[in-house]
């Protein structure tokens, strides 16, 4: 699946920044930081509870438009959570769209999803900002209110990975990875040829 990369700015509960992409996105090179001042998680917010609520909210939206609910995939969940933590560690260092959120590493996440987990098409939504109140509902509203994010949410995906990281200062980072199960024969062949070049 090909989609157009969009980096819209949406005001929601303060400022919430969004980005959506598919495997054709160009990445920004950012050096990994071993330490960062914003990488301490919030002790007052259960990130796993936010992820569960976000999953339920997104699947309720999908059912409302006639789509099947997404099945959570532990490997995709792990990659989404790691990406949220990466954005928190590298906050302020990105140069495309927003200094606080990025799709950096999306191509690698796509390759892992395809090679390790046997996924076909892959897409990703990310968001970041200070959110007051119900984080899951506001993220869902922001994503469904954005053309590019809504496009990803509405597709015929089978599986999903979700990650949320809430920093001690209230900054929220969210990542959702969408994937279809299995590679088609032409996709497998093209993928093998692509890997042969490495």
């Amino acid at each position: 699946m090909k989609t157009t990369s969009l980096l819209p700015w949406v005001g929601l509960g303060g400022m919430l920044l969004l980005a959506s992409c598919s495997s054709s996105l160009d990445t920004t090179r950012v050096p990994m930081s071993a330490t960062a001042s914003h990488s301490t998680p919030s002790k007052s917010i259960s990130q796993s509870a936010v992820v569960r609520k976000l999953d339920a909210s997104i699947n309720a939206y999908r059912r409302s438009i006639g789509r099947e609910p997404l099945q959570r995939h532990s490997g995709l969940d792990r990659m989404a959570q790691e990406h949220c933590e990466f954005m928190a560690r590298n906050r302020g260092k990105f140069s495309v769209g927003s200094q606080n959120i990025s799709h950096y590493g999306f191509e690698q996440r796509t390759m892992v999803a395809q090679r390790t987990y046997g996924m076909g098409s892959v897409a990703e939504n990310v968001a970041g900002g200070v959110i007051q109140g119900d984080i899951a509902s506001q993220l869902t509203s922001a994503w469904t209110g954005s053309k590019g994010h809504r496009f990803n949410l509405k597709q015929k995906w089978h599986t999903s990975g979700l990650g949320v990281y809430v920093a001690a200062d209230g900054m929220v980072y969210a990542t959702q990875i969408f994937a279809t199960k299995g590679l088609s024969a032409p996709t497998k062949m093209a993928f093998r040829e692509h890997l042969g070049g490495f």
Side-chain angles (χ1 to χ4, degrees):
M1 179 184 112
K2 287 193 160 202
T3 61
T4 304
S5 173
L6 299 176
L7 297 172
W9 293 58
V10 176
L12 179 65
M15 182 172 70
L16 181 63
L17 302 171
L18 306 168
S20 67
C21 77
S22 70
S23 56
S24 63
L25 179 75
D26 290 329
T27 59
T28 303
R29 301 290 177 213
V30 179
M32 293 295 285
S33 170
T35 61
S37 60
H38 304 291
S39 63
T40 305
S42 171
K43 293 181 175 145
S44 64
I45 297 172
S46 167
Q47 294 170 155
S48 61
V50 173
V51 168
R52 283 190 304 275
K53 287 177 70 176
L54 182 58
D55 180 49
S57 180
I58 287 169
N59 279 328
Y61 168 74
R62 286 179 58 84
R63 280 189 293 276
S64 77
I65 60 168
R67 290 283 187 226
E68 293 291 321
L70 298 166
Q71 298 300 309
R72 297 278 297 283
H73 185 281
S74 62
L76 298 180
D77 278 347
R78 190 171 32 262
M79 288 194 299
Q81 186 63 38
E82 288 171 356
H83 184 61
C84 291
E85 293 169 11
F86 168 79
M87 290 189 292
R89 282 192 314 272
N90 291 282
R91 182 175 175 177
K93 297 181 182 178
F94 303 109
S95 62
V96 176
S98 165
Q99 291 187 343
N100 293 325
I101 62 172
S102 173
H103 287 287
Y104 178 82
F106 177 67
E107 288 85 1
Q108 291 83 7
R109 288 187 292 283
T110 298
M111 189 176 294
V112 169
Q114 292 173 336
R115 292 180 70 189
T116 305
Y117 305 127
M119 299 297 168
S121 297
V122 177
E124 175 178 85
N125 284 349
V126 299
V130 176
I131 300 175
Q132 303 296 321
D134 186 343
I135 295 170
S137 294
Q138 291 189 47
L139 285 168
T140 302
S141 293
W143 280 340
T144 59
S146 162
K147 183 179 177 183
H149 298 91
R150 188 173 53 251
F151 179 84
N152 282 345
L153 288 168
K154 291 169 67 173
Q155 299 309 304
K156 293 182 180 180
W157 304 111
H158 301 112
T159 59
S160 172
L162 282 169
V164 172
Y165 184 90
V166 182
D169 66 353
M171 183 71 173
V172 176
Y173 301 89
T175 301
Q176 183 167 26
I177 300 172
F178 305 93
T180 56
K181 293 179 183 175
L183 296 174
S184 66
T187 303
K188 285 181 184 177
M189 185 183 310
F191 189 66
R192 279 190 213 112
E193 289 175 10
H194 175 72
L195 290 178
F198 291 101

